Amino acid sequence: MPLFSTRPGRRPRLSRSLGDAQLAKVLGKLSKRGSGKAADADLIAGLLEETGSDWDLRGHRVSVLAAAAAGTGIAQTWLERDPDDVDALVFHSWTALVRALEERRLEDTDAVISRCHRAAELWPEDPLPWVVLLGTARVERYDHKDVDALWRQATARDPWNREAFLQMLALLSPEEGGSSASVLDFVDAVRTRIPANAPCAAVELTAAVRQYQGLLAQGGMRAMTAGQLFETGHLAAALHQAAALWPKPGFFQHAAAPADLNVLAYALCAAGRAADAHPVFQALQGMVTSWPWDVDGPALQRFEQHLAKSERGRQGGIGGS
């Protein structure tokens, strides 16, 4: 199915489902059910069963639903009812990870690890238990050897798994006890091997946007010159290629493609190429993700400001390449 429409743009709105109509339907029902946890579990179970072994779509749906259900008790209700259901095990583990990343501590590490390993036994081909364990490594600060082992397990099952790449990027970041050098080493190691339209294709730009925002946060001269980050070397080439290819209808087929297009639009604006971001904004059809726009203000407001800037740039011929 085509991910993007060529119809006139829709009004910007925050989107969790990123164009996944079935996921949006389930999210809408979850938000209205209140304490109906058993019925909510049935909704989620049905959607994940239907998703099957489409690992990319499965990862997108589980991550979005886990964020929506974290702290509600839905995952616990489902797991108590179906303790050997692989979807229930993975979903419970992911909701625990969502809470752990917010609180910077995991309440019961051994239980999460045990559930992930049980899920891996029940469905050996599924990369998601290993992706959750990579997230667990972020909280527990596993050593390099153990992280590499989890990374190999996840990518052996799905080489370009978007969630696995994002977990590694976060784990290696300075904000989580890593370093900028570690992030660059990781990006350098994977850059040339990733297909241009792979689900993880945005890993380099994602890392760059995080670095750019870190420079802004430092203030002073670093903030004033932060946009220069996108002007030279591999990153300039990556931004140029992404701007040329990613907005094209049908180029991206992965479920979270609109999230990556948000990153691209932001990066182009940060690089002073607002006019070049116009086709990206058009492709998004108003689908806005909180990050990266929400770092210095409300996401929708910042998105709309940059959208307007791209319109002015296009009309005035400013910021083209």
Side-chain angles (χ1 to χ4, degrees), residues 121-160:
E121 289 174 4
L122 291 168
W123 199 359
E125 297 83 7
D126 186 4
L128 290 196
W130 303 102
V131 174
V132 176
L133 288 171
L134 273 174
T136 302
R138 291 172 58 185
V139 182
E140 298 296 314
R141 299 309 308 170
Y142 286 9
D143 64 31
H144 184 74
K145 182 179 178 181
D146 290 336
V147 170
D148 280 350
L150 296 174
W151 169 253
R152 288 194 300 271
Q153 291 283 1
T155 54
R157 289 159 174 80
D158 187 13
W160 314 120

Side-chain angles (χ1 to χ4, degrees), residues 99-310:
R99 294 195 302 274
L101 292 173
E102 290 175 351
E103 300 168 3
R104 304 313 308 166
R105 68 180 186 87
L106 196 56
E107 189 170 316
D108 192 340
T109 304
D110 290 341
V112 172
I113 293 172
S114 176
R115 290 181 187 117
C116 286
H117 282 296
R118 179 59 179 151
E121 289 174 4
L122 291 168
W123 199 359
E125 297 83 7
D126 186 4
L128 290 196
W130 303 102
V131 174
V132 176
L133 288 171
L134 273 174
T136 302
R138 291 172 58 185
V139 182
E140 298 296 314
R141 299 309 308 170
Y142 286 9
D143 64 31
H144 184 74
K145 182 179 178 181
D146 290 336
V147 170
D148 280 350
L150 296 174
W151 169 253
R152 288 194 300 271
Q153 291 283 1
T155 54
R157 289 159 174 80
D158 187 13
W160 314 120
N161 187 281
R162 184 177 183 273
E163 292 293 338
F165 276 77
L166 292 179
Q167 294 293 340
M168 279 293 286
L169 206 58
L171 185 150
L172 296 169
S173 70
E175 293 78 15
E176 297 195 12
S179 66
S180 298
S182 296
V183 171
L184 290 174
D185 287 345
F186 174 66
V187 171
D188 284 343
V190 301
R191 176 195 297 116
T192 58
R193 296 189 288 110
I194 298 174
N197 64 342
C200 60
V203 64
E204 183 173 10
L205 283 189
T206 299
V209 166
R210 290 177 179 173
Q211 183 181 357
Y212 167 81
Q213 292 179 337
L215 293 171
L216 291 183
Q218 294 180 41
M221 186 58 66
R222 286 184 180 272
M224 292 175 61
T225 59
Q228 296 175 9
L229 178 70
F230 299 97
E231 294 178 0
T232 58
H234 290 296
L235 189 53
L239 186 59
H240 181 79
Q241 182 185 54
L245 296 178
W246 292 8
K248 291 183 176 180
F251 181 77
F252 271 154
Q253 293 294 321
H254 62 284
D260 295 335
L261 287 175
N262 271 265
V263 172
L264 174 57
Y266 182 96
L268 286 167
C269 291
R273 297 175 56 181
D276 294 338
H278 187 262
V280 188
F281 283 116
Q282 281 190 314
L284 280 168
Q285 292 292 303
M287 281 187 283
V288 183
T289 52
S290 292
W291 188 85
W293 307 102
D294 63 356
V295 171
D296 58 353
L300 273 177
Q301 181 183 54
R302 297 296 290 150
F303 181 95
E304 289 175 332
Q305 288 171 348
H306 285 289
L307 172 60
K309 189 175 181 181
S310 79

Side-chain angles (χ1 to χ4, degrees), residues 1-18:
M1 92 181 154
L3 285 172
F4 310 116
S5 169
T6 55
R7 293 176 300 170
R10 296 173 58 189
R11 183 176 180 82
R13 73 279 181 200
L14 288 172
S15 175
R16 292 183 292 175
S17 65
L18 301 179

